[in-house]
C-alpha cells in the first residue's frame, strides 16, 4: 500500500489484491472517500493533480491526462509528457515537443526537440539549427522566443 501527498484536495493511493498480482489505484479526498477509481491507465511518477489534471500512462506506455472526474481530457496520447506547470504541459510525439492546455488543446505546436516545463511564464525549448546543432531558446506562454543560447 502506498499513499501520496494531497494535491488540489486529492491524494493518490495504491494497493494490491490479496495475491499481490494486481495493483489498484484511486484518488481519495481528505476524509478518505474514494473520488476517482483509476481506469485504463497507471499513474505516472507525476500522479498529483496540477491545474485540475493528473498525468497517466496507458498500457502501451503512452502518456495522457485525466481530469478530477477521472475522464481523459482528450483522446490524444503522447510518447512523453510532463506534469502541468503554469497552466501548460510539455508533450512529445515522434521526436517533436510542444505544449497543451488543461483541455488538451495544443497551444504551442510540437516543433521542438525538447521542451521544459513552464515556470513563472517562461520555458526553455531546444531546436535544431540547419547544421544540426542544438540551440536552446527561452519562450513565453505564447511561444514567442525571448532569447537563444
Amino acid at each position: 500500500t502506498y499513499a501520496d501527498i494531497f494535491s488540489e484536495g486529492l491524494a493518490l493511493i495504491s494497493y494490491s489484491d490479496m495475491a499481490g498480482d494486481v495493483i489498484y489505484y484511486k484518488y481519495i479526498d481528505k476524509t478518505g472517500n474514494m473520488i476517482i477509481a483509476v481506469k485504463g491507465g497507471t499513474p505516472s511518477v507525476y500522479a498529483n493533480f496540477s491545474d485540475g489534471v493528473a498525468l497517466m500512462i496507458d498500457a502501451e506506455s503512452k502518456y495522457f491526462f485525466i481530469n478530477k472526474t477521472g475522464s481523459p481530457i482528450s483522446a490524444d496520447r503522447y510518447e512523453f509528457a510532463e506534469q502541468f506547470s503554469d497552466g501548460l504541459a510539455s508533450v512529445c510525439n515522434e521526436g517533436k515537443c510542444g505544449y497543451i492546455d488543461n483541455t488538451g488543446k495544443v497551444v504551442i505546436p510540437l516543433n521542438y526537440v525538447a521542451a521544459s516545463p513552464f515556470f513563472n511564464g517562461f520555458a526553455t525549448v531546444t531546436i535544431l539549427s540547419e547544421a544540426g546543432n542544438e540551440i536552446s531558446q527561452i519562450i513565453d506562454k505564447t511561444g514567442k522566443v525571448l532569447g537563444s543560447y
Side-chain angles (χ1 to χ4, degrees):
T1 302
Y2 169 80
D4 206 343
I5 62 170
F6 280 91
S7 175
E8 296 188 11
L10 299 174
L12 175 70
I13 64 168
S14 64
Y15 55 96
S16 60
D17 63 5
M18 294 299 284
D21 296 330
V22 180
I23 298 176
Y24 300 94
Y25 299 92
K26 65 181 178 178
Y27 287 90
I28 61 170
D29 64 15
K30 290 185 178 182
T31 64
N33 292 320
M34 183 184 73
I35 304 301
I36 302 169
V38 176
K39 298 175 187 165
T42 305
S44 78
V45 294
Y46 308 109
N48 292 326
F49 274 85
S50 177
D51 292 325
V53 296
L55 183 57
M56 307 294 284
I57 302 173
D58 68 16
E60 288 81 39
S61 297
K62 297 285 186 173
Y63 292 75
F64 68 104
F65 297 89
I66 61 168
N67 60 25
K68 287 188 174 182
T69 67
S71 300
I73 63 169
S74 76
D76 296 321
R77 298 292 189 265
Y78 301 97
E79 292 169 359
F80 182 76
E82 298 269 4
Q83 183 174 7
F84 273 79
S85 175
D86 253 11
L88 300 177
S90 149
V91 295
C92 304
N93 267 337
E94 299 177 6
K96 295 290 184 177
C97 303
Y99 297 88
I100 62 171
D101 66 16
N102 67 356
T103 68
K105 178 182 173 191
V106 174
V107 293
I108 299 176
L110 282 68
N111 293 331
Y112 307 102
V113 295
S116 70
F118 272 87
F119 182 72
N120 288 334
F122 304 101
T124 301
V125 295
T126 304
I127 61 169
L128 288 179
S129 70
E130 290 180 18
N133 299 317
E134 289 188 355
I135 299 171
S136 294
Q137 299 177 320
I138 298 170
I139 62 169
D140 67 13
K141 290 172 78 172
T142 67
K144 179 181 176 185
V145 176
L146 304 175
S148 299
Y149 59 95

